[in-house]
Amino acid sequence: GAGVSQSPRYKVAKRGQDVALRCDPISGHVSLFWYQQALGQGPEFLTYFQNEAQLDKSGLPSDRFFAERPEGSVSTLKIQRTQQEDSAVYLCASSLPSRGDTQYFGPGTRLTVL
Amino acid sequence: AQSVSQHNHHVILSEAASLELGCNYSYGGTVNLFWYVQYPGQHLQLLLKYFSGDPLVKGIKGFEAEFIKSKFSFNLRKPSVQWSDTAEYFCAVNKLFSGNTGKLIFGQGTTLQVKP
């Protein structure tokens, strides 16, 4: 496909479970971003990759959040021991390498922690 | 803290009315500015962006925005809205400084409802 894809689209987890969210960026896009969007709010930055290198993880809210992009393409955001406050939509965006380039967003994964 | 503020949280208009959504940011350096739109059930899409040059930027679907540096503002406008413009609108800023990765700082969004 031509756009950013994410899976699953919806995830329900019991508190304490681990979850893994996947992002397939646009082919050739070097930059990949993860954002968290709480209900009624704008997206908030979590982490950034340039190819396989995680260059900025300043937005990760706790050490329960972990992201990787081992081959510089697909990325996975993992949340360990999920808490209710982790409930949100997790958005992935990709772009060309210039830091001002347009970011193209995926449809997001809506995570609900019970 | 540096932030992006969207003053209108929920706007209701009738078709053909004019639209202006406010956006202010608090960062004093050089920025790139964006408006994204999210139609019901769809993902975030770029509406328009400002990098440099003419401060009046035209985007898709008849939208435009004006960058006023002295006011730290980037307001979105459309002279005549349509029912299909019903969506959530987000203003975003990319602060340009050495070492910045290009991450976007978003406002909290404005929900626009256009009545037919």
Side-chain angles (χ1 to χ4, degrees):
Chain A
V4 177
S5 61
Q6 293 185 246
S7 61
R9 292 292 310 278
Y10 304 91
K11 177 69 178 177
V12 178
K14 292 183 179 179
R15 190 160 55 95
Q17 283 185 331
D18 297 348
V19 297
L21 313 179
R22 176 188 169 106
C23 171
D24 282 87
I26 294 172
S27 178
H29 277 191
V30 168
S31 298
L32 186 145
F33 300 81
W34 283 98
Y35 294 86
Q36 180 191 58
Q37 186 176 17
L39 190 63
Q41 301 296 317
E44 291 192 2
F45 170 79
L46 292 177
T47 188
Y48 164 72
F49 289 87
Q50 185 174 49
N51 294 307
E52 70 278 2
Q54 189 175 19
L55 299 184
D56 187 348
K57 52 183 180 179
S58 61
L60 296 177
S62 78
D63 58 7
R64 296 186 295 104
F65 286 71
F66 171 77
E68 60 183 5
R69 193 185 185 197
E71 298 179 357
S73 178
V74 171
S75 177
T76 303
L77 176 67
K78 298 179 180 179
I79 309 173
Q80 297 176 325
R81 303 181 303 281
T82 53
Q83 304 295 315
Q84 284 190 322
E85 61 263 28
D86 300 334
S87 296
V89 176
Y90 291 85
L91 298 169
C92 176
S94 71
S95 74
L96 293 170
S98 172
R99 61 185 179 187
D101 279 317
T102 300
Q103 293 181 29
Y104 296 88
F105 284 81
T109 294
R110 182 178 297 277
L111 173 65
T112 302
V113 181
L114 303 177
Chain B
Q2 294 159 346
S3 66
V4 178
S5 299
Q6 293 183 238
H7 318 298
N8 318 100
H9 301 308
H10 196 166
V11 174
I12 303 174
L13 296 172
S14 298
E15 275 193 315
S18 63
L19 170 72
E20 180 160 4
L21 301 182
C23 174
N24 285 87
Y25 60 95
S26 62
Y27 179 64
T30 303
V31 294
N32 290 336
L33 298 157
F34 304 80
W35 276 97
Y36 279 85
V37 60
Q38 188 166 25
Y39 297 104
Q42 297 188 26
H43 58 275
L44 278 167
Q45 303 172 39
L46 181 69
L47 204 51
L48 48 78
K49 61 186 179 183
Y50 172 79
F51 281 8
S52 63
D54 189 345
L56 185 61
V57 179
K58 295 192 183 297
I60 61 172
K61 303 186 180 184
F63 286 91
E64 65 179 30
E66 184 175 13
F67 171 49
I68 303 179
K69 189 174 182 179
S70 61
K71 295 185 178 180
F72 300 92
S73 71
F74 190 55
N75 292 354
L76 181 70
R77 299 194 293 249
K78 185 171 184 178
S80 176
V81 295
Q82 301 173 318
W83 176 79
S84 58
D85 293 325
T86 294
E88 191 154 17
Y89 293 80
F90 293 94
C91 180
V93 171
N94 171 14
K95 299 183 290 184
L96 295 177
F97 60 88
S98 178
N100 185 33
T101 54
K103 63 187 177 187
L104 295 175
I105 302 171
F106 284 87
Q108 67 183 92
T110 297
T111 301
L112 172 64
Q113 182 182 353
V114 180
K115 294 183 176 180

